[in-house]
Amino acid sequence: MRFNKTTIAIFLTLTCTCSTSAIAEYKTNSVFSDDYKCVSEENGGFNHGASGHSLTLFKGQEEFFLTHISNIPYEALVDWNQLLEIKLLNIKANDESKIREIFEERLMRQETLNIITTEKSSYFIRQPEDDPKKVLSLINGCSSFKAGQEAVITCYESDGSKTFKLDIETMRFTYSYAGSWHSKRKKGYYGDSSVFAFGTCKKYFH
């Protein structure tokens, strides 16, 4: 799927608080901080063809990176900064701390009730082919839930064809992709395979 700059700008400003205040040194307000690399242990699903749908196991692995908002590569933030022309808010392009704080103010939403904390866009999911230093790597934000030791991260909520859920207690994840059998396609092509994947995640250090 391709995104033009206007689409990205709308997505990244959708929850703007329009505040330009900044502290001397950025420190995240999120209750999370770790990054994760997730690799599937088993993949299966359906291949689609002219005569029906074939249930099968797939070779290879599905791989995902979950990046916390505080650990986004600075190059991606500069890309975002230039895209939205934050310089108009008198923020210097090389002021990393202020850019990070403004990014979190605009993107992350947090709610707390007793011991329960929910967050939106404190994590971003990408796959290996996505350049983490580009603003496109920030398209897929995740929601998170934390209550004591229980914590879950859910991604691809804005993509109706995919699901991803990580339980941080077990470090196990599930992923699904509906495929594109239902979509208009070229002659002789019957759509992307439908995929189910199961695997584990580990903390990831850049």
Side-chain angles (χ1 to χ4, degrees):
M1 183 179 294
R2 294 182 179 273
F3 299 90
N4 59 36
K5 287 192 173 184
T6 300
T7 301
I8 300 169
I10 292 172
F11 171 78
L12 295 179
T13 57
L14 199 58
T15 56
C16 173
T17 62
C18 300
S19 170
T20 60
S21 63
I23 56 175
E25 292 297 331
Y26 163 76
K27 184 177 179 180
T28 183
N29 290 313
S30 172
V31 295
F32 301 93
S33 61
D34 295 318
D35 293 345
Y36 300 98
K37 179 179 180 179
C38 303
V39 180
S40 67
E41 297 167 353
E42 190 166 25
N43 310 325
F46 287 90
N47 288 322
H48 308 294
S51 59
H53 312 281
S54 175
L55 179 63
T56 184
L57 292 177
F58 299 133
K59 295 182 179 179
Q61 297 174 315
E62 295 287 347
E63 190 171 302
F64 306 90
F65 294 89
L66 272 66
T67 303
H68 188 260
I69 194 167
S70 64
N71 299 322
I72 292 168
Y74 182 52
E75 293 87 347
L77 294 180
V78 170
D79 201 11
W80 173 82
N81 177 42
Q82 292 173 343
L83 177 67
L84 299 184
E85 296 185 338
I86 304 302
K87 59 187 177 183
L88 297 179
L89 303 177
N90 297 317
I91 303 300
K92 295 180 180 179
N94 62 351
D95 194 335
E96 180 174 350
S97 183
K98 289 183 180 180
I99 291 174
R100 287 189 180 279
E101 179 167 345
I102 289 176
F103 183 84
E104 182 169 311
E105 286 180 354
R106 293 195 172 196
L107 268 293
M108 191 180 83
R109 289 293 172 268
Q110 184 186 77
E111 294 185 6
T112 301
L113 178 63
N114 296 324
I115 65 168
I116 300 173
T117 299
T118 60
E119 296 180 349
K120 287 187 176 295
S121 297
S122 57
Y123 276 97
F124 298 86
I125 190 170
R126 67 176 179 86
Q127 291 185 273
E129 60 268 25
D130 302 322
D131 186 347
K133 295 183 180 181
K134 298 294 184 180
V135 71
L136 282 172
S137 67
L138 307 177
I139 286 295
N140 292 305
C142 306
S143 295
S144 54
F145 167 92
K146 184 175 177 61
Q149 297 299 312
E150 182 182 357
V152 175
I153 299 173
T154 304
C155 304
Y156 292 122
E157 292 177 308
S158 62
D159 186 337
S161 67
K162 296 179 179 179
T163 68
F164 179 97
K165 190 178 291 289
L166 165 64
D167 187 313
I168 295 180
E169 276 194 284
T170 64
M171 295 299 283
R172 295 195 295 263
F173 78 90
T174 57
Y175 166 76
S176 68
Y177 170 48
S180 59
W181 177 79
H182 58 287
S183 302
K184 184 178 179 180
R185 52 192 177 270
K186 295 180 180 179
K187 185 177 180 180
Y189 181 70
Y190 300 97
D192 297 347
S193 299
S194 301
V195 180
F196 295 91
F198 312 92
T200 57
C201 301
K202 294 182 179 179
K203 290 183 182 179
Y204 177 71
F205 301 95
H206 299 275

